[in-house]
Amino acid sequence: MAVYLTIATQLRDEIRNHYSHGDMLPSEHQLAKRFNVNRHTLRRAVDELVHDGLVRRYQGLGNQVVGAPIDYALNHPSCFTHNLSKMGLLLDTEVLGCREEPLGEALASRLQLPADTGIVLIRTCRCIDEQPATLMRHHLFNVDIRQMVRFRSGSLHRFLQQSYGYRALRGTTRLRARMPTFDECSQLKIGRGIPVMEIHSRYYLQGSGSLMEYAISISRGDLFEYSVEP
């Protein structure tokens, strides 16, 4: 086995047995001295840990141990803010934009609706413990832009319930893993080696069954582990 892989294996075992979420590893200089290797070899070993999702590298600060992934259930009443708040996580919502526009050809074809169907598009960034975790695009039907520009933080579904009496149920959900774009890396503060999970979700109004929202979320692959309930 290559030297850097041997070091990575030993560090992997030490992280699992002796480190907690948020702990910093010794500096790469200290680790290189400990294992009697050059900095290049040590860095390759740490790269393996980063790719495994066990360590996050911060330029100028060092290498931090990452906690276990968040177990997120994609169930019928699923609501991002509500579900994560129940886990005791500190959440924040940053609204990146809110505007009216037509649905567009691509989504219209997928939803079997006219391309000129009017929607309100809200873009948000959801942060967990002050770290960007998920980018979301909310395509909202049958809402008023004058009301939706008032949404600034918290749960969007709760805002819709308070504003319109809407109660939503999750419908069809599609998931795919992919590598992030440069813009997504910048917004989520991740390297190109960390994959993202892209989730497309339909939400329908409880009672009438009409389409309320088509949401597209881009989440860091190193933070979440998804479970799908029947």
Side-chain angles (χ1 to χ4, degrees):
M1 182 184 294
V3 174
Y4 77 93
L5 291 177
T6 300
I7 296 172
T9 298
Q10 183 169 339
L11 289 174
R12 190 179 293 113
D13 291 339
E14 292 179 5
I15 287 172
R16 287 170 175 163
N17 294 324
H18 304 294
Y19 286 82
S20 300
H21 170 61
D23 288 348
M24 302 297 294
L25 292 180
S27 70
E28 293 185 0
H29 173 75
Q30 291 172 314
L31 289 173
K33 185 176 180 180
R34 171 189 164 189
F35 289 107
N36 195 28
V37 295
N38 59 43
R39 291 284 295 276
H40 175 71
T41 299
L42 192 283
R43 178 166 282 267
R44 290 188 66 186
V46 174
D47 285 343
E48 293 296 310
L49 304 179
V50 172
H51 292 157
D52 286 347
L54 295 175
V55 167
R56 189 175 302 137
R57 179 181 278 123
Y58 291 98
Q59 187 69 31
L61 296 177
N63 301 305
Q64 185 179 48
V65 174
V66 176
I70 298 167
D71 184 8
Y72 188 86
L74 294 171
N75 50 28
H76 284 298
S78 181
C79 173
F80 187 90
T81 302
H82 175 68
N83 286 357
L84 295 185
S85 294
K86 288 194 301 182
M87 301 179 191
L89 298 171
L90 178 62
L91 299 176
D92 187 33
T93 299
E94 179 185 0
V95 177
L96 304 177
C98 178
R99 65 175 185 267
E100 286 184 303
E101 63 178 40
L103 186 58
E105 294 290 347
L107 283 184
S109 176
R110 178 171 295 178
L111 297 174
Q112 297 183 326
L113 292 171
D116 60 354
T117 299
I119 62 164
V120 170
L121 173 64
I122 295 181
R123 296 183 301 109
T124 62
C125 178
R126 306 301 178 94
C127 297
I128 299 175
D129 294 335
E130 300 183 348
Q131 295 295 322
T134 299
L135 302 171
M136 301 189 74
R137 298 198 299 274
H138 310 269
H139 305 80
L140 300 171
F141 298 83
N142 300 311
V143 295
D144 186 341
I145 184 66
R146 291 170 295 182
Q147 178 67 16
M148 297 314 302
V149 294
R150 299 174 183 172
F151 172 69
R152 304 310 306 164
S153 64
S155 168
L156 177 58
H157 282 194
R158 181 170 296 176
F159 181 86
L160 290 169
Q161 182 179 339
Q162 294 171 344
S163 300
Y164 297 97
Y166 288 172
R167 291 180 179 272
L169 291 177
R170 183 189 290 271
T172 304
T173 300
R174 301 173 64 90
L175 304 87
R176 74 181 180 107
R178 62 173 175 80
M179 303 312 294
T181 65
F182 284 109
D183 285 344
E184 290 164 350
C185 286
S186 176
Q187 290 176 295
L188 293 173
K189 298 182 181 179
I190 56 175
R192 292 301 301 275
I194 296 179
V196 294
M197 182 67 75
E198 181 175 317
I199 303 177
H200 292 238
S201 303
R202 304 185 193 200
Y203 292 94
Y204 297 91
L205 290 177
Q206 189 174 13
S208 70
S210 60
L211 184 62
M212 183 195 83
E213 177 189 6
Y214 189 88
I216 303 174
S217 66
I218 311 296
S219 295
R220 292 177 49 155
D222 61 334
L223 289 184
F224 294 93
E225 183 175 280
Y226 296 95
S227 60
V228 180
E229 299 182 3

